[in-house]
Amino acid sequence: MNENIYSEIREIKQYALDHKVPIMVDQGIDFLTRFIEEHQVKSVLEIGTAIGYSAIMMALSSPEVKITTIERDQERYMEAVKNVKKFDLEDRITLVFNDALDVEIDGTFDLVFLDAAKGQNIRFFEKFENNLAEHGTIITDNMDFHGLVNQEEESMSRNLRGLVRKIKDYEEFLKNNENYEVKFMTIGDGIAVAIRK
Ligand code: SAH
Ligand code: MG
């Protein structure tokens, strides 16, 4: 990567900070991009584009990888369109503006990356495993949800408590899913890796 790319990436991260867009933390991105390299992932379906940061980082990690990514928020989607253009990655990143639960995606992918509404992960998983390659992997971000998953529930608002419970339900769902080999990584904001057997 040259200096110019680094400064473009810094700009995207600054935008995320200024606009409170919850992009993946550095440790998480490192894990994800290394996973793509090590497993020679060629195709990724991402749920939750936000402004395109993680999609761009994945695309930069390997010249062979193609990404399809879904975002339902128009402002973020527009920002993602702009960012993908900046990096000349339009040929490898396909941006879909829609609610992931309402859209049908064609084809299969080596990796499905779930990084959208944290309370909907079981639904995303069950829907998009239909797009997963035979021994493909489903990676989920924010399994620790900013450390809240292991905190006392009494200290939380009702909404937050509900969300934290859903994340725990999803964790159980993964653990009990016999079709996948599942690992929980305590890196970044908590990452679950489910490899289909
Ligand atoms: N993957 C991004 C961050 C995504 S933040 C990165 O690391 O750079 C989560 C995004 O998911 C938000 O922008 C939110 O609008 C989007 N989202 C949440 N639920 C969604 C749904 N059902 N369909 C599509 N996008 C959704
Ligand atoms: Mg995330």
Side-chain angles (χ1 to χ4, degrees), residues 22-24 46-50 52-54 70-73 76 98-101 113 115-118 124:
I23 61 169
M24 206 176 199
E46 177 184 64
I47 317 303
T49 316
Y53 171 69
S54 52
I70 312 173
E71 175 57 53
R72 69 178 173 191
D73 179 272
R76 288 181 181 176
N98 211 326
D99 192 304
L101 293 171
F113 175 45
D115 194 18
K118 307 307 160 196
F124 292 140

Side-chain angles (χ1 to χ4, degrees), residues 41-70:
V41 169
K42 302 275 187 286
S43 51
V44 182
L45 174 60
E46 177 184 64
I47 317 303
T49 316
I51 57 174
Y53 171 69
S54 52
I56 288 167
M57 294 305 279
M58 289 191 276
L60 294 177
S61 76
S62 157
E64 284 178 73
V65 71
K66 287 194 173 174
I67 298 137
T68 297
T69 178
I70 312 173

